[in-house]
Amino acid sequence: MRWDRFFEDLEDQLAAEWEAERAALDSEAERLRVSRLALRERLVAFAQSAASPLSIELRDGSSLEASVTSVGADWMAVRPLRAHGAAESAVLVPLPAIRSIGAAQGELLRSARPTEPESRLAQRVTFGFALRDLARRRAAVAIGVASGRALSGTIDRVGADHLDLALHDPDSPRRSAAVTAFRIVSFEAVAWVRVAAAVGVVAP
């Protein structure tokens, strides 16, 4: 009986060691996976899980309370919380403009887990492509720039790394008489682009 107990103890000890080793390997594998995680992947997870609104701080010093609706190659579309009586809008944010994101702990942890496979198209739709769609639609926009200013008007054309903006009152259509000036705006300066949701935003 003593030998039986001795072998049982050995088996228990071996099982415990195997479990500890497996846990260590799993932990190391998880640390390695997280070390390769990009911000874009976290945002995709927020969009897929219909997360609670996030607190997003941007390069122009502004912040948004918004939910992520879609993620492109280098930008995301968010739906801000609606203020009382405010018209619904969509906001496009280039990923380099994001400074920090506040989220509940549970949402934060979920965003670090592997996500569902996404459309390959979403990974190819760039910020420039989305802006060209808005230019094609002649949509009135407001653009926040790094200096903290907001410019309103219509995007006339979009280059590889910049856009041409005809400035006019946001409530007026783009007509020559309504345009007060023109600006070339570098993508690097853009913190956000706001457009009426009714206009529609190209969905990756």
Side-chain angles (χ1 to χ4, degrees):
M1 294 295 291
R2 285 181 299 176
W3 283 109
D4 290 344
R5 182 60 184 165
F6 174 73
F7 283 115
E8 286 176 5
D9 289 344
L10 283 179
E11 287 176 357
D12 290 344
Q13 184 178 342
L14 186 61
E17 288 176 359
W18 273 107
E19 195 64 34
E21 184 176 352
R22 190 182 71 175
L25 287 172
D26 288 347
S27 179
E28 182 60 29
E30 178 64 5
R31 279 194 292 269
L32 182 60
R33 186 190 69 79
V34 172
S35 73
R36 295 171 176 166
L37 199 59
L39 174 61
R40 183 184 179 280
E41 294 171 80
R42 306 290 294 271
L43 296 171
V44 168
F46 283 130
Q48 290 182 351
S49 66
S52 301
L54 307 172
S55 177
I56 307 166
E57 294 184 1
L58 302 172
R59 66 162 52 123
D60 65 341
S62 66
S63 61
L64 288 171
E65 295 291 324
S67 298
V68 180
T69 58
S70 57
V71 182
D74 55 355
W75 60 281
M76 67 176 177
V78 300
R79 183 171 48 250
L81 290 181
R82 293 183 66 178
H84 295 296
E88 187 174 355
S89 62
V91 178
L92 279 61
V93 178
L95 301 192
I98 299 171
R99 289 295 171 260
S100 70
I101 298 174
Q105 185 181 26
E107 302 285 6
L108 200 68
L109 292 173
R110 274 192 290 275
S111 74
R113 294 174 187 158
T115 58
E116 297 292 326
E118 59 173 323
S119 161
R120 292 200 174 189
L121 178 63
Q123 300 174 35
R124 296 171 57 190
V125 176
T126 65
F127 185 54
F129 185 94
L131 293 179
R132 288 183 192 94
D133 182 66
L134 293 178
R136 179 181 61 81
R137 295 167 187 254
R138 312 301 289 162
V141 299
I143 299 178
V145 294
S147 64
R149 293 181 61 199
L151 307 172
S152 63
T154 301
I155 300 172
D156 280 345
R157 61 196 63 83
V158 180
D161 58 359
H162 67 282
L163 61 90
D164 290 0
L165 185 68
L167 301 181
H168 59 79
D169 188 284
D171 297 325
S172 302
R174 193 232 184 274
R175 293 199 168 88
S176 297
V179 174
T180 58
F182 297 91
R183 290 283 186 279
I184 294 177
V185 183
S186 166
F187 287 175
E188 289 187 3
V190 176
W192 49 267
V193 178
R194 186 184 301 271
V195 60
V199 171
V201 175
V202 58

